[in-house]
Amino acid sequence: MSATTEGQPISMADKAYQAIRDRLIMLDIPPMEPIDDAGLAEALDIGRTPVREALKRLEIDRLVVSYPRRGTFATAVDITDLAYISDLRMHLEPLAARRAAEVAGNAEAEELGNLADFLDDVDFHSLERDEVMRWDLHVHRAIYHAAGNPHLEDTLIRYDNLATRIFCVFLERMPDFDSHVMEHSALLRAISAREPDKAERLAREHVLNFDNAMRSLV
């Protein structure tokens, strides 16, 4: 066992899961690429058993797929999946934003407000693609966690991961990708100010804008 920065124990399987998941989301492991579990175990300095356990979880997340006698592969990034993903996120993202505005503690609400202030000062065009994506993921996860519902949080993380893979594919073709990320600022402020109706509306608009932006590039 090792420990996280928060002092909570994390298993080697969890460590492998998080590391491989991030590589898949950021397309560091390209879509349809065969998964070399031995190579991953060596690169991550983790045994092959935790890596194999992680891959089973990632298959449930639809980030990898296994074929008998062929092996395990990163799943394809299929733009036709966007409609299914957006349909779910259109309902669940606003719910999470509303709940966060309603139930977040004072310290957490202040933290979200501070995050909005920080985002306002970031020049996203000066950042590498992975840095932009990590900011996007960080903001979404902060909101999901603030909603205080672990089942909702887990579900949204899974679908946001899939949406982020699509975002990564098209990011370089989006001249105004920074405006999409900057939409988070107003959403974070609404949650911090405990305005659930506004937070719900902004979250829904954010998902809709993302869906429209992706479709316009196809």
Side-chain angles (χ1 to χ4, degrees):
M1 301 286 285
S2 59
T4 67
T5 55
E6 297 178 348
Q8 297 298 318
I10 178 172
S11 70
M12 296 306 290
D14 285 338
K15 181 180 177 182
Y17 170 79
Q18 293 170 10
I20 300 170
R21 181 194 63 189
D22 287 351
R23 294 187 180 198
L24 289 161
I25 294 171
M26 297 296 179
L27 307 185
D28 294 330
I29 301 176
M32 301 306 295
E33 182 86 0
I35 303 295
D36 177 6
D37 57 353
L40 281 171
E42 182 178 358
L44 299 173
D45 193 23
I46 297 176
R48 292 183 69 175
T49 297
V51 168
R52 288 169 177 165
E53 291 176 6
L55 291 174
K56 290 178 182 178
R57 291 174 60 187
L58 291 164
E59 188 165 13
I60 295 172
D61 292 345
R62 297 181 181 271
L63 290 172
V64 303
V65 58
S66 296
Y67 299 103
R69 296 180 297 278
R70 288 184 56 197
T72 301
F73 297 78
T75 53
V77 175
D78 190 346
I79 192 64
T80 60
D81 287 338
L82 179 63
Y84 304 124
I85 296 169
S86 294
D87 188 38
L88 289 163
R89 293 181 70 223
M90 201 77 72
H91 290 85
L92 297 181
E93 294 270 356
L95 173 61
R98 167 173 282 279
R99 289 287 186 266
E102 291 172 341
V103 307
N106 291 334
E108 197 163 31
E110 182 178 0
E111 183 179 342
L112 294 177
N114 291 337
L115 180 55
D117 291 339
F118 189 85
L119 287 176
D120 286 344
D121 293 331
V122 175
D123 178 10
F124 285 99
H125 276 289
S126 70
L127 302 182
E128 296 293 329
R129 185 204 69 175
D130 280 10
E131 292 180 283
V132 175
M133 291 295 95
R134 291 188 191 285
W135 273 114
D136 190 73
L137 287 167
H138 176 65
V139 172
H140 279 274
R141 277 151 182 68
I143 294 171
Y144 304 158
H145 185 70
N149 182 330
H151 298 287
L152 177 61
E153 181 179 4
D154 288 346
T155 301
L156 275 169
I157 286 175
R158 180 176 299 175
Y159 288 108
D160 187 51
N161 288 342
L162 297 175
T164 299
R165 293 184 85 213
I166 296 174
F167 198 178
C168 284
V169 168
F170 291 102
L171 180 63
E172 293 181 357
R173 293 167 55 186
M174 293 178 64
D176 59 344
F177 67 85
D178 56 325
S179 65
H180 174 76
V181 181
M182 286 306 302
E183 288 178 5
H184 293 135
S185 181
L187 174 56
L188 289 166
R189 293 187 195 286
I191 295 172
S192 179
R194 306 192 183 285
E195 299 176 309
D197 290 342
K198 183 176 182 180
E200 181 179 6
R201 174 177 58 79
L202 290 174
R204 182 174 292 105
E205 291 174 357
H206 180 66
V207 176
L208 181 60
N209 289 343
F210 175 79
D211 185 84
N212 289 336
M214 294 302 102
R215 291 179 187 279
S216 70
L217 297 172
V218 177

